[in-house]
Amino acid sequence: MGEETPVHERSALSSTAAEQVSTEHQPASVKTGLEDAKPSVEVEAVVLDAEGNDVEAIPQEVQPVMTSIEVQLETTSTDIPHQIAVPPESGVIYQKRSDGMPQFMYDAVARIAPEQGFTPGQFGIRFESGSSKGDGFVAEMFRATITEGDRKLVVLCKIPPINDAHRHQFGLMPLFDREVTSYSKLLPAMYEFQREKGVTEEMDIGFFNAPQCYLAYADLPKEESVIIMDDLRLKEYRMWNKLVPTNYEHARLLMIQLGRLHAVSFAMREQRPEVFEQFKVPDPLNAMMRTNEGFIMMMNMSLDRAIGTLESHEEKARQKLLKLKETMFDDISTITSAEYAEPYAVLGHGDCWINNMIYSYKRGVPTEIVLLDWQLCRYASPALDLLYFIFVCTDEAFRRQYYDEMLRIYYNSLGQLLEKLGGDPSRQFPFTALLRQLKACGKFGILMALLIVPMICVPDMNEATDSEEKYKTRMAAIIRDLIKYGYL
């Protein structure tokens, strides 16, 4: 998947099989006005060292990341349809500057500079990359520094892969279209609704935990997309090591924020149904999971490997997995559909694993979490985000001790915010409904584990001679726990 980018923001599903996305709908674009925003700027391209550092050394544990501040829309956009658009069949070739980077990214940064107080024609822009040009798989991240005199602003730019062949082969533009929709419509609508109900960021009881966004646009026919966000690499935000099962404090913060995220959906669907309609976006990868032969082969091989982790006496578990193999792709389609979850479907994050979360700390204790990468945001069961994270990103010992507590933390957080927003959790989403959703969608835990666990247990095929044993231990424990809870 190429080298690590400055922000370790990863769509695990799209990284595995992004090339499979397709539907019957036509491309759509978001108007940007970038054509009219081309002030004279001085541009210098700089490549970072292997650790992503430049002249000002960054502590190794601090990544260039984002903060949980309100999304501020800077684009004028048309409505983005709910359908998943298909990239054009004939591949677009990016117009690139002499340094090999696309012109539209420069134009986008140049556009936001005057909006942030810089004088047109008087500011300079410097780009830095944490990966070799063209190595990005799902997305590439560049750090842009805007300077004028003693003043500077540092932002992150997320764009499709610069390598034209990669971009065409893997059909990634629908994922960018979804993320632009998230930043330009869905998250702002959630924030505005909460403020109208008297819930603000300062109160720390609502959901405002997505990155600050200066500009988000996508033009699918041109295969262009830019999402410009804050870079807080020097403010001690950092990521949990994906190779290590998540601990209690980090998981607790996520459960609190997932509860709040889902609570806003329950409140809005009842109190603002005309606004909530835009939230009903489908799973952007469902078509890929059912139709692509390469993906089907990969999932079947991964399931066979998972079966191989079981002991000889675990025949009941083996038979359950063999039965799952016959229905796996129908199960994926059903479980991720909104109809299956109603009347409890919500706008979920969709790609809820540890690499898409970033934390700030005080005296070594995590105090705040920000959810990254909204490319798989979808309208589906609230149980999916929980199952994905708990069974993929924690281990057997954690679940044995904290599984019930995690559900309670999530539900109490949801109930607290839903009541504050004028809802009634006991009527709109009782705890018994959560338990039923978890059981109905429980297979999602093993389906995501088939995709992610091999990746987090075997990070480099040339290293870690005990990686296979780690994989067997972790996968077998997931299977046993899913059966224990009645999910498989």
Side-chain angles (χ1 to χ4, degrees), residues 14-181:
S14 52
S15 298
T16 307
E19 72 271 25
Q20 327 296 346
V21 181
S22 64
T23 69
E24 299 177 355
H25 302 293
Q26 296 300 314
S29 64
V30 181
K31 292 183 179 179
T32 67
L34 293 182
E35 297 81 358
D36 301 324
K38 297 183 179 179
S40 174
V41 295
E42 172 190 356
V43 180
E44 175 187 1
V46 179
V47 178
L48 303 183
D49 64 20
E51 285 74 37
N53 303 331
D54 57 5
V55 178
E56 299 178 2
I58 306 170
Q60 187 171 2
E61 71 276 11
V62 179
Q63 306 296 337
V65 297
M66 309 162 211
T67 184
S68 56
I69 304 177
E70 166 195 358
V71 172
Q72 300 173 348
L73 297 180
E74 302 293 348
T75 63
T76 55
S77 62
T78 58
D79 287 342
I80 305 172
H82 295 166
Q83 295 87 356
I84 308 304
V86 180
E89 293 183 3
S90 58
V92 174
I93 305 300
Y94 279 167
Q95 178 187 353
K96 298 170 185 173
R97 300 176 65 96
S98 59
D99 56 17
M101 288 194 279
Q103 179 68 43
F104 69 83
M105 182 170 66
Y106 288 89
D107 295 341
V109 176
R111 173 182 173 178
I112 72 163
E115 297 169 354
Q116 300 304 315
F118 292 90
T119 307
Q122 301 299 314
F123 56 83
I125 301 175
R126 184 181 69 168
F127 282 91
E128 302 162 333
S129 173
S131 62
S132 299
K133 295 182 181 68
D135 281 347
F137 185 88
V138 174
E140 296 198 44
M141 300 291 295
F142 293 90
R143 190 167 68 217
T145 302
I146 309 171
T147 58
E148 181 180 353
D150 295 333
R151 184 170 178 239
K152 73 175 181 178
L153 173 66
V154 179
V155 295
L156 290 173
C157 302
K158 181 177 182 179
I159 65 172
I162 292 177
N163 184 289
D164 295 315
H166 287 183
R167 193 174 64 257
H168 302 157
Q169 179 183 1
F170 299 120
L172 302 174
M173 292 310 298
L175 302 181
F176 282 87
D177 185 50
R178 174 57 53 82
E179 191 159 26
V180 167
T181 302

Side-chain angles (χ1 to χ4, degrees), residues 252-271:
R252 183 185 69 86
L253 286 180
L254 176 64
M255 292 300 106
I256 291 171
Q257 291 304 325
L258 287 180
R260 295 174 181 178
L261 172 65
H262 297 165
V264 180
S265 285
F266 283 112
M268 290 187 70
R269 67 182 294 163
E270 187 168 281
Q271 300 175 41

Side-chain angles (χ1 to χ4, degrees), residues 431-448:
F431 188 72
T432 53
L434 169 61
L435 297 180
R436 290 195 299 270
Q437 287 284 308
L438 287 166
K439 190 164 186 177
C441 300
K443 291 179 183 178
F444 194 71
I446 186 65
L447 295 171
M448 293 302 97

Side-chain angles (χ1 to χ4, degrees), residues 141-408:
M141 300 291 295
F142 293 90
R143 190 167 68 217
T145 302
I146 309 171
T147 58
E148 181 180 353
D150 295 333
R151 184 170 178 239
K152 73 175 181 178
L153 173 66
V154 179
V155 295
L156 290 173
C157 302
K158 181 177 182 179
I159 65 172
I162 292 177
N163 184 289
D164 295 315
H166 287 183
R167 193 174 64 257
H168 302 157
Q169 179 183 1
F170 299 120
L172 302 174
M173 292 310 298
L175 302 181
F176 282 87
D177 185 50
R178 174 57 53 82
E179 191 159 26
V180 167
T181 302
S182 300
Y183 282 120
S184 64
K185 297 182 67 176
L186 305 181
L187 290 168
M190 297 179 77
Y191 296 170
E192 180 181 1
F193 173 75
Q194 290 175 92
R195 294 190 193 102
E196 289 176 356
K197 305 297 289 188
V199 175
T200 63
E201 294 91 320
E202 295 75 18
M203 298 172 67
D204 193 28
I205 62 171
F207 180 81
F208 298 93
N209 291 53
Q212 179 181 2
C213 180
Y214 295 95
L215 182 148
Y217 93 93
D219 188 325
L220 299 193
K222 293 182 179 179
E223 296 185 9
E224 295 180 1
S225 181
V226 182
I227 299 172
I228 302 180
M229 300 165 281
D230 264 353
D231 179 357
L232 297 185
R233 60 195 171 91
L234 299 179
K235 296 187 178 180
E236 299 186 4
Y237 278 74
R238 60 186 185 269
M239 302 185 70
W240 180 263
N241 184 350
K242 69 180 180 182
L243 306 181
V244 179
T246 314
N247 69 10
Y248 176 87
E249 287 300 329
H250 291 78
R252 183 185 69 86
L253 286 180
L254 176 64
M255 292 300 106
I256 291 171
Q257 291 304 325
L258 287 180
R260 295 174 181 178
L261 172 65
H262 297 165
V264 180
S265 285
F266 283 112
M268 290 187 70
R269 67 182 294 163
E270 187 168 281
Q271 300 175 41
R272 301 285 192 278
E274 71 288 349
V275 177
F276 187 73
E277 190 64 27
Q278 67 186 316
F279 282 46
K280 297 180 179 180
V281 289
D283 188 319
L285 294 180
N286 208 341
M288 171 270 291
M289 290 184 174
R290 288 185 58 85
T291 60
N292 184 273
E293 292 183 3
F295 182 82
I296 292 172
M297 180 181 299
M298 181 199 70
M299 287 292 287
N300 282 322
M301 291 176 62
S302 186
L303 183 52
D304 288 339
R305 186 182 180 193
I307 293 173
T309 67
L310 298 173
E311 300 292 339
S312 58
H313 66 274
E314 296 180 290
E315 185 59 28
K316 180 179 178 181
R318 182 174 289 101
Q319 291 303 317
K320 285 181 177 292
L321 292 183
L322 289 172
K323 183 177 180 180
L324 176 66
K325 194 171 184 178
E326 300 174 0
T327 63
M328 178 164 48
F329 298 100
D330 287 335
D331 289 340
I332 291 173
S333 180
T334 299
I335 289 170
T336 59
S337 69
E339 294 77 14
Y340 190 68
E342 295 293 16
Y344 304 117
V346 298
L347 183 71
H349 180 271
D351 200 3
C352 207
W353 75 301
I354 196 64
N355 247 34
N356 287 332
M357 301 156 202
I358 203 83
Y359 296 87
S360 64
Y361 297 80
K362 289 183 180 178
R363 293 184 289 276
V365 178
T367 57
E368 185 176 6
I369 182 175
V370 177
L371 302 187
L372 310 174
D373 195 345
W374 293 79
Q375 289 187 330
L376 299 184
C377 178
R378 64 187 168 207
Y379 181 65
S381 172
L384 300 187
D385 283 342
L386 300 176
L387 291 162
Y388 191 165
F389 177 81
I390 293 175
F391 286 95
V392 169
C393 301
T394 71
D395 61 12
E396 185 175 23
F398 179 96
R399 292 188 293 271
R400 183 187 309 116
Q401 185 171 0
Y402 298 121
Y403 182 73
D404 291 341
E405 184 176 351
M406 289 295 111
L407 298 185
R408 285 293 179 184

